[in-house]
Amino acid sequence: MAENNKESETGARRAVITGASSGIGRATALHLAAKGWKVVALARREDRLAALADQIGDACEYVVCDVTDEASTQAAVDTILHGGDVKALVNCAGGAIGQDPIESCEVEDWRRMYDVNVLGTLRITQKLLPALKAAPGGGTVVVVSSTAGIEPYEGGGGYCGVKSAERVLAQTLRFEQVGEPLRVIDVSPGMVETKEFSLNRFHGDQAKADAVYAGVPSPLTGDDIAECIEWAVDLPDSVDIDSIVVRPRAQASAQRVYHER
Ligand SMILES: NC(=O)c1ccc[n+]([C@@H]2O[C@H](COP(=O)([O-])OP(=O)(O)OC[C@H]3O[C@@H](n4cnc5c(N)ncnc54)[C@H](OP(=O)(O)O)[C@@H]3O)[C@@H](O)[C@H]2O)c1
């Protein structure tokens, strides 16, 4: 068995999690902290991050950061690196905007999605790479993309495109860094019922957001995805889980979802 990565020579391992103010990112912060990691929670909403830090206690720091803003991301990285080593980066910041067909969708929605999901991941990953590779035992980049990046669906042109680009970013980084002390893990979830994802997608329309999950027995939760992430990052440093594709049992594909009547 390869040496595991449970604790570095300098103490608890430290993980940076973007999109930690809600959903999958928040759940990941809670899971990793419960496993003995120190977590640095990033997002734009400070009140949410402060509440998370209160809940976790000493093992949680937070830094307000907008990953679509170069200066904000650089300032966050400077603060993070000032605080110590970084062994893992979990890129959760992102989401969908709109579900309109290509004939009538908004160009601006696609641009915003690309900016937060793809360029946001690129901005912070690029800046933290040297620190991740310098971490005792090596570092890990997790990219939370989506099954939307594997199989397009009607109305998903923009979101499927950016999630596909995120998957490609992860694969390319793995190619480029082979031989370096770095793992790159793609996590591609199917339907996850988080409070804000669909609400944001449908511009605050709660009825439309609720309809996504109506009648679907047990969609995935943020905790389910956090558990997958926790498992993958807690494996020995030499073990790279390239991709985790995870769906609820009731979802065979994006378009083939079982609904209870
Ligand atoms: N829910 C699903 O069904 C599902 C399925 C597959 C993949 N995913 C992906 O999983 C990730 C997390 O989704 P989720 O369901 O947890 O959604 P969520 O609850 O809406 O969380 C999105 C997170 O991203 C942060 N964020 C958004 N824009 C940001 C920006 N410009 N800078 C920094 N942080 C930003 C939000 O925080 P602030 O607003 O506070 O900044 C929030 O913490 C996303 O990339 C999503 O595409 C979701």
Side-chain angles (χ1 to χ4, degrees):
M1 183 76 171
E3 189 186 341
N4 79 21
N5 69 4
K6 296 288 183 267
E7 197 156 304
S8 79
E9 287 162 14
T10 53
R13 299 160 301 167
R14 198 154 163 259
V16 173
I17 302 157
T18 72
S21 62
S22 83
I24 295 168
R26 181 177 180 281
T28 301
L30 289 163
H31 276 246
L32 291 185
K35 275 288 190 117
W37 288 75
K38 280 187 181 294
V39 295
V40 189
L42 266 58
R44 294 167 302 178
R45 286 172 294 178
E46 184 165 12
D47 57 333
R48 299 292 194 93
L49 296 175
L52 177 68
D54 275 351
Q55 187 176 345
I56 292 176
D58 288 346
C60 182
E61 310 155 59
Y62 69 84
V63 183
V64 173
C65 173
D66 179 347
V67 295
T68 67
D69 184 303
E70 183 64 26
S72 170
T73 310
Q74 185 62 60
V77 166
D78 292 346
T79 303
I80 292 163
L81 295 180
H82 188 69
D85 293 345
V86 179
K87 186 158 178 69
L89 165 65
V90 184
N91 285 289
C92 292
I97 304 170
Q99 198 172 345
D100 299 311
I102 288 172
E103 192 172 18
S104 58
C105 66
E106 299 289 339
V107 171
E108 178 59 14
D109 287 348
W110 286 40
R111 194 194 60 74
R112 286 175 55 209
M113 280 191 282
Y114 198 85
D115 202 8
V116 63
N117 290 280
V118 186
L119 301 183
T121 297
L122 173 63
R123 276 186 197 98
I124 191 149
T125 301
Q126 208 174 45
K127 295 182 203 322
L128 283 175
L129 267 190
L132 288 163
K133 292 199 282 182
T140 302
V141 175
V142 177
V143 176
V144 178
S145 59
S146 173
T147 53
I150 302 172
E151 37 166 2
Y153 51 86
E154 289 160 54
Y159 184 60
C160 296
V162 300
K163 287 304 186 184
S164 175
E166 259 192 284
R167 285 176 56 84
V168 170
L169 184 158
Q171 288 166 344
T172 307
L173 184 62
R174 198 179 305 114
F175 282 137
E176 291 172 351
Q177 296 291 328
V178 69
E180 295 292 320
L182 187 79
R183 301 185 294 184
V184 185
I185 300 170
D186 163 69
V187 178
S188 291
M191 182 183 279
V192 189
E193 187 170 13
T194 51
K195 282 198 174 66
E196 299 185 3
F197 175 83
S198 289
L199 201 57
N200 288 334
R201 176 167 219 169
F202 297 115
H203 307 289
D205 186 329
Q206 189 69 58
K208 274 191 179 175
D210 291 345
V212 172
Y213 312 103
V216 180
S218 304
L220 295 170
T221 65
D223 281 326
D224 294 328
I225 307 308
E227 210 163 306
C228 294
I229 293 169
E230 171 196 317
W231 170 73
V233 299
D234 258 346
L235 287 167
D237 285 318
S238 55
V239 179
D240 189 331
I241 301 297
D242 282 7
S243 182
I244 298 175
V245 179
V246 48
R247 305 176 200 267
R249 190 170 58 188
Q251 185 184 33
S253 77
Q255 318 239 23
R256 184 74 180 90
V257 181
Y258 174 77
H259 290 86
E260 285 170 343
R261 292 180 191 282

